Amino acid sequence: MFARVDDTPITVDECTDAVGDATAGAVVSFAGVVRNHDEDRGVTWLRYSAHPSAQTVLEEVAHEVALAHPGCRMAAAHRVGDLGIGDVALACAVASAHRAEAFAACAALVDEIKARVPIWKEQGFTDGSTEWVAALG
């Protein structure tokens, strides 16, 4: 299992590399990418902030999802700090012998990260305003 929260750029490749091996018939990945809008408002930047427990909680989530999906290997990385449009904020990968299990586990991993890891984002809009958005939930 691989899990990290920090301010360095992340890629899906680092997650897929961490889980893939000769037994994996499927590797499913997810990239949460900073987009240029939020509903009807133009977004120019995001800033993610993490509680000091975020790394530990991310590790717990990955471990629990792995236990719930036997035979699956998990990797997840969440970036904090200042991000621009197109940057990867969350990358996950799951490897399994079969695709159905890998897809289900990857979806569960992303959902649990969003629900439980204490990371919040502030987004900047094209009109100069900002807004804090809880990444939880």
Side-chain angles (χ1 to χ4, degrees):
M1 185 190 72
F2 167 85
R4 76 174 172 97
V5 175
D6 63 32
D7 63 356
T8 60
I10 59 177
T11 67
V12 171
D13 287 345
E14 75 179 287
C15 290
T16 58
D17 290 347
V19 298
D21 70 14
T23 66
V27 177
V28 173
S29 62
F30 170 82
V33 179
V34 177
R35 64 181 180 265
N36 68 354
H37 69 280
D38 185 5
E39 298 181 9
D40 297 339
R41 301 168 77 185
V43 172
T44 57
W45 57 268
L46 289 182
R47 178 176 300 124
Y48 282 92
S49 299
H51 187 273
S53 68
Q55 175 68 43
T56 300
V57 175
L58 180 61
E59 292 168 2
E60 290 170 357
V61 165
H63 179 72
E64 290 172 16
V65 173
L67 287 175
H69 296 271
C72 292
R73 288 178 306 287
M74 311 281 153
H78 203 303
R79 189 168 168 196
V80 295
D82 296 336
L83 284 77
I85 304 305
D87 287 344
V88 177
L90 172 63
C92 298
V94 174
S96 177
H98 303 286
R99 71 180 179 276
E101 291 85 353
F103 275 110
C106 192
L109 180 61
V110 172
D111 289 347
E112 285 299 307
I113 289 169
K114 298 289 282 179
R116 295 178 41 200
V117 179
I119 295 175
W120 306 271
K121 69 180 173 182
E122 180 184 17
Q123 49 191 1
F125 297 102
T126 54
D127 65 5
S129 64
T130 63
E131 176 182 73
W132 280 94
V133 179
L136 297 172

